[in-house]
Amino acid sequence: MLRQGLGSYERARRGYEGGTGPNRYYPAAMLALPHVASGKVREIYEIDQQRLLFVATDRISAYDVILEDPIPDKGRVLTGLSLHWFRLLDTPHHFLSTDLSTIPGIDDKERAELTGRSMVVRRAEVVPVECVIRGYLYGSAWREYRSGGGPATEHLPAGLEMGDRLPQPVFTPATKAASGHDENLTEGEARGLLGDELYDELRRRSLEIYQTAAGHAAASGMILADTKFEFGFADDRLLLVDEVLTPDSSRYWPADAWQPGRSMPSFDKQFVRDWLDGSGWDHTPPAPHLPPEVIEGTRARYVDAFERITGTRFQAYLEGS
Ligand code: PZK
């Protein structure tokens, strides 16, 4: 009975997010479908009781702030990457279709805007835990490790340095805190929240998917340093949901640039972060407008990530969508 105890936890989460009611809130210039949920850069709409429309926008966040200017096609890059992985991974998932022609209530203009950036997905009861897998010691886990240890690093050996490859990938689940930030859970806390059976299954599935994806990434000259998965129940099956293995949910490094002990620039976002740093912005909204060359340079980096990871041309993805 994997899903025992999930219901009450999920209800509590819905209570504080407050974003699950149909028609509760329409983000700028979007659809007449009932709105289900809004993320910093993604939107979810209801098609019917069984199906949702998952939309990746061109919004970009930096230093936790949504920037004023979209990055053209960023949502299509991320959706194309999720589709690449859903097809490649041999694991039950929520993706159903990219066919928008039979969805009622979308006009031609909206359909053109949604093409390439949206997925029809199976509605699931989302497990309220982010399933993070780390193959390398970086970011918040490195900071935690260096300052004496904590939940994400409790099972790591001593003596590692920044950016080290871990002896084996670790499952470091986290939960969305009321602040909106992820809070790492100890193994004991996660087992307490989920129950041992669901914890073990999420860990097994997440590690298996990471291993498969990291192997494919390596064959393309990329390191998959870490990634975050979400799962949900539909008809008592545990499905991989959300976006998968995108640069927004994962840390990819070019293998030839990696060296332990060194900081690794973000493949996709470093360019825009560097410009923001030089602008003197203090990270309080609104962010400054980006010059055209920074918008175009950031787009080029997302497209480069797509082409390296999938081994296919992004233009071909656009033309096939
Ligand atoms: C679901 N989120 C996260 C929040 C986003 C995404 N298949 C599913 N069934 C039911 N619910 C969800 C999913 C998925 N995926 C995912 N929230 C609900 C989220 C805000 C915006 F795009």
Side-chain angles (χ1 to χ4, degrees), residues 58-301:
D58 290 341
R59 298 194 295 263
I60 184 171
S61 75
Y63 301 115
D64 264 338
V65 174
I66 300 166
L67 304 187
E68 297 294 294
D69 306 279
I71 303 301
D73 287 333
K74 172 177 177 278
R76 292 192 173 94
V77 165
L78 267 57
T79 300
L81 281 165
S82 285
L83 295 175
H84 166 77
W85 290 113
F86 279 129
R87 288 174 187 134
L88 215 144
L89 296 168
D90 187 20
T91 198
H93 57 67
H94 72 158
F95 173 72
L96 294 171
S97 161
T98 55
D99 181 8
L100 306 175
S101 67
T102 63
I103 301 172
I106 301 178
D107 66 30
D108 288 354
K109 186 161 167 283
E110 289 166 334
R111 193 170 297 112
E113 179 55 35
L114 289 168
T115 296
R117 68 171 73 255
S118 50
M119 309 186 286
V120 178
V121 301
R122 180 92 165 77
R123 191 173 215 158
E125 190 179 350
V126 178
V127 177
V129 166
E130 318 262 324
C131 295
V132 178
I133 300 288
R134 302 171 190 275
Y136 290 73
L137 183 57
Y138 206 74
S140 65
W142 162 247
R143 289 193 291 276
E144 179 192 291
Y145 182 87
R146 187 181 50 184
S147 65
T153 55
E154 61 181 342
H155 299 301
L156 297 186
L160 297 171
E161 56 176 331
M162 177 170 68
D164 264 346
R165 183 176 182 164
L166 300 177
Q168 57 222 346
V170 290
F171 175 59
T172 62
T175 187
K176 283 245 185 294
S179 68
H181 279 110
D182 292 355
E183 212 160 85
N184 290 327
L185 299 167
T186 64
E187 178 176 345
E189 287 166 342
R191 286 185 181 279
L193 276 170
L194 298 165
D196 284 328
E197 195 179 359
L198 181 54
Y199 176 93
D200 287 336
E201 185 64 5
L202 291 171
R203 179 175 179 278
R204 187 188 68 75
R205 287 278 296 275
S206 299
L207 283 167
E208 178 181 85
I209 296 165
Y210 173 84
Q211 294 285 20
T212 301
H216 279 274
S220 310
M222 300 288 274
I223 289 172
L224 178 59
D226 53 50
T227 190
K228 180 182 83 183
F229 301 118
E230 292 206 49
F231 293 88
F233 285 100
D235 293 336
D236 277 324
R237 289 211 310 164
L238 192 55
L239 307 182
L240 179 62
V241 304
D242 208 317
E243 62 177 322
V244 287
L245 295 156
T246 68
D248 279 9
S249 70
S250 314
R251 203 175 256 123
Y252 286 100
W253 296 328
D256 60 14
W258 173 75
Q259 270 187 34
R262 276 240 304 246
S263 74
M264 291 292 301
S266 162
F267 195 84
D268 46 304
K269 278 191 185 169
Q270 202 59 45
F271 185 70
V272 69
R273 282 187 195 140
D274 287 349
W275 185 84
L276 289 166
D277 292 349
S279 78
W281 178 49
D282 64 3
H283 304 180
T284 62
H289 277 285
L290 305 174
E293 63 272 20
V294 173
I295 294 174
E296 194 42 51
T298 302
R299 180 185 183 279
R301 282 159 176 81

